[in-house]
Amino acid sequence: MLERTEIDEGFALWLDARFAVSVADEASTPLDPVPYRRRAEALFSSTGSGRHRHSWGERAAGIDQAAIEQLIDEAEPFLAAGRGANALTILMPVASGLAAYWPENADWDETLHEFFPRLDQLIAQAALMDGVSQEARDDLAGELADWQGELAKFGADDAFATAIAACMQGWDEPGLQATLAGLGQSWPPGGSSDPLDDDLTRVRLAALEAMGRGEHFLNLSRAAGFHCDHVVKLAQTGRVDEAVALAHVRLTTHGDVLRLAEAVAAVGQLETAIDLAAWGLSRDGRGEGEENWCHRTGRALLARWLREKAHEAGNRDMMLRAAHIAFEESFAREDFRVAEKLAGPADWPKLREMLLAALMAAPYANERIEILLDEDLVADAVACINLQETRFFSSRDPTLGRLAERALADHPDWVIVLACRMADPILSEGRSSRYEAAALWLGIAARAHKVCGRSGQWLAHLDALIEQHRRKHKLRPLLEGLRRTAK
């Protein structure tokens, strides 16, 4: 290790930071800020300046975003333990480096801006924890406000808005202490809130959770209308019946029901969690919208969870129902295969027919053809392809190629039309990088002509293609090689 530190500066900086964490953990002492400051400085100084870039092709090597992510992650254990000061020792050098780096690179960024919301939330959470004085919060607020004033000139208007609000307001906002004590009816007072208020409530709840202030968490989440957080905390503290009863009144999304079901199962009440999830699946997902993508995803996730837990509990009817719903929400090949595995030989034939009927009726199913081919339903798969819309298909789509190969024996005429329509645009537009894909499709067309007993017709067509594209030196050998396919 010592030898490597002499040749690998990044490893040396990482090792220093790990030693600092070890010392802080063993003695519960403040974390040494020097190793983290040096690591952040090294990350943001190693990428060079973007000042003289004039095009995307001239971008510098770019910052090591994975390393930034790893450095931020190192604050998470301190946040979970309620040690906000130590978390800030890690987070603030990263935020400082990003704030300094951003002005010269904002115009070139594709993903780096995604670090701002996470840093904002984590710094806000850390600043609200015990051990961070109001004087320290005031200093943080001033530093963050300076950064944000500069960043706003380059598009990051609210980079640290939540953290600044958390530092300035802390726990002293009028009425907050009464709300934490359970005396407030709504938070913020008056019942109306804006996105910043909601973000600030979220980080306050995260801080309360980390500091073990469970009753304060419950009182604030109830008053603020954070119903999912509230019922999950009730379940975690053993008040499962109360949590479930409130869920039936307050929870409106399948994702929220899933969070609570997981919490109820985690405290050892699996049957109650299964009943809750089943109730959730029966709901229409008012908060998501019946046709909303989030609704379908949330319902599929809840159904998958229920499918596995019902199987674990030996509740076969519930497992089959959940497997059915999971597939109808996703039309995913994986959900189809899992349903087959869990149903077993006795129940699979009936369930299979229901799933396939739903699949064929669906207006859109990304993996429809793969499932039909898996089930040897080639004719049904063929019927699903509109040959008038082949311009929307990719010539490199392995599923379409697989379908064409499987359909050769019984649907050769259809295969000929499909294969030629997939190959013709590549040839006519001279897309040389895709000539091999076109040749593969033409090879399929040749075999389909052979199945039909029309090899002579194919050879005539091939000769015409060779003559038409005789000047395309990369394509012509591929076309000439297809003569063997017709023999």
Side-chain angles (χ1 to χ4, degrees):
M1 291 174 67
L2 291 174
E3 288 176 358
R4 182 175 171 185
T5 60
E6 295 176 358
I7 60 174
D8 187 341
E9 182 183 7
F11 176 71
L13 294 172
W14 176 86
L15 192 61
D16 284 344
R18 298 316 303 159
F19 279 132
V21 169
S22 178
V23 171
D25 283 344
E26 290 178 5
S28 297
T29 57
L31 195 61
D32 183 0
V34 174
Y36 291 97
R37 186 171 63 245
R38 290 176 62 203
R39 282 180 68 188
E41 289 172 351
L43 279 172
F44 287 100
S45 65
S46 64
T47 58
S49 172
R51 187 186 304 277
H52 302 296
R53 301 177 196 162
H54 301 289
S55 71
W56 287 101
E58 296 177 22
R59 295 185 68 195
I63 201 161
D64 187 346
Q65 296 192 29
I68 296 178
E69 189 89 36
Q70 182 184 42
L71 185 53
I72 295 172
D73 287 345
E74 292 180 24
E76 295 279 7
F78 291 109
L79 288 168
R83 298 172 67 180
N86 283 350
L88 289 171
T89 296
I90 299 172
L91 297 170
M92 288 302 286
V94 180
S96 174
L98 184 58
Y101 181 84
W102 181 258
E104 289 189 357
N105 295 274
D107 290 341
W108 308 94
D109 171 61
E110 294 179 357
T111 56
L112 196 62
H113 63 277
E114 295 172 1
F115 285 110
F116 283 121
R118 187 180 181 205
L119 283 168
D120 184 33
Q121 186 263 328
L122 296 181
I123 291 171
Q125 180 182 337
L128 290 169
M129 290 181 177
D130 295 337
V132 180
S133 66
Q134 187 56 55
E135 182 180 0
R137 289 191 192 112
D138 291 341
D139 291 341
L140 279 172
E143 192 169 14
L144 291 166
D146 288 343
W147 294 343
Q148 182 154 302
E150 186 65 21
L151 292 168
K153 302 174 186 176
F154 301 92
D157 297 4
D158 300 317
F160 299 111
T162 308
I164 292 170
C167 290
M168 294 180 66
Q169 298 178 31
W171 298 101
D172 300 326
E173 196 169 351
L176 180 57
Q177 290 302 317
T179 298
L180 293 175
L183 303 177
Q185 294 301 310
S186 65
W187 184 259
S192 61
S193 63
D194 58 30
L196 181 58
D197 289 327
D198 289 342
D199 289 341
L200 190 53
T201 296
R202 288 188 185 92
V203 297
R204 281 174 169 151
L205 289 173
L208 291 170
E209 173 77 18
M211 292 185 293
R213 292 163 59 178
E215 282 303 314
H216 288 171
F217 182 105
L218 286 169
N219 291 334
L220 179 58
S221 59
R222 175 189 54 78
F226 280 47
H227 304 301
C228 185
D229 295 296
H230 186 73
V231 295
V232 166
K233 174 57 74 173
L234 285 173
Q236 290 171 341
T237 55
R239 297 158 65 177
V240 172
D241 291 342
E242 186 179 350
V244 171
L246 191 57
H248 281 251
V249 177
R250 294 295 189 182
L251 297 192
T252 60
T253 73
H254 298 108
D256 286 349
V257 174
L258 176 57
R259 275 191 63 195
L260 178 58
E262 290 173 333
V264 172
V267 297
Q269 297 199 32
L270 181 57
E271 290 297 334
T272 301
I274 288 173
D275 290 341
L276 174 67
W279 168 81
L281 286 180
S282 72
R283 308 295 289 173
D284 63 3
R286 299 187 300 279
E288 296 154 307
E290 186 64 31
E291 299 303 323
N292 187 276
W293 177 84
C294 291
H295 163 78
R296 302 195 70 85
T297 301
R299 195 162 189 254
L301 291 173
L302 179 61
R304 288 169 185 156
W305 184 89
L306 178 57
R307 177 186 67 194
E308 303 306 320
K309 293 303 178 182
H311 175 66
E312 179 182 319
N315 189 335
R316 191 163 184 79
D317 290 341
M318 185 69 72
M319 180 269 293
L320 292 172
R321 175 172 170 256
H324 191 172
I325 294 173
F327 179 73
E328 287 194 332
E329 292 299 328
S330 69
F331 294 114
R333 191 180 188 183
E334 177 64 19
D335 285 323
F336 192 89
R337 296 273 72 90
V338 171
E340 178 183 16
K341 177 182 177 181
L342 294 180
D347 293 309
W348 176 236
K350 181 180 178 181
L351 181 58
R352 175 182 180 271
E353 291 306 311
M354 290 191 292
L355 299 187
L356 289 173
L359 177 67
M360 295 302 293
Y364 175 79
N366 190 46
E367 297 182 310
R368 191 192 326 258
I369 302 302
E370 291 96 321
I371 295 170
L372 293 175
L373 290 179
D374 288 347
E375 296 302 299
D376 201 28
L377 298 172
V378 178
D380 289 329
V382 166
C384 291
I385 301 297
N386 185 346
L387 292 177
Q388 304 304 315
E389 297 183 354
T390 52
R391 65 187 183 280
F392 300 119
F393 301 152
S394 169
S395 61
R396 298 175 180 174
D397 184 352
T399 301
L400 204 56
R402 182 182 168 210
L403 171 57
E405 295 283 3
R406 293 279 298 277
L408 273 172
D410 297 323
H411 307 276
D413 290 319
W414 179 88
V415 172
I416 290 170
V417 176
L418 173 66
C420 290
R421 289 190 176 181
M422 296 304 294
D424 286 349
I426 300 174
L427 303 182
S428 60
E429 295 170 17
R431 291 180 274 177
S432 59
S433 63
R434 300 175 65 185
Y435 282 163
E436 291 186 358
L440 289 174
W441 279 110
L442 291 175
I444 292 173
R447 293 195 294 278
H449 276 91
K450 190 174 182 179
V451 170
C452 296
R454 290 153 43 194
S455 294
Q457 180 182 337
W458 163 250
L459 288 172
H461 178 65
L462 182 59
D463 286 339
L465 287 177
I466 293 172
E467 174 61 23
Q468 180 183 353
H469 302 289
R470 65 184 182 280
R471 297 184 183 277
K472 296 174 183 175
H473 302 296
K474 184 177 178 180
L475 175 61
R476 182 166 179 169
L478 296 173
L479 295 177
E480 291 175 341
L482 291 171
R483 291 184 187 280
R484 297 187 297 272
T485 310
K487 296 179 181 179

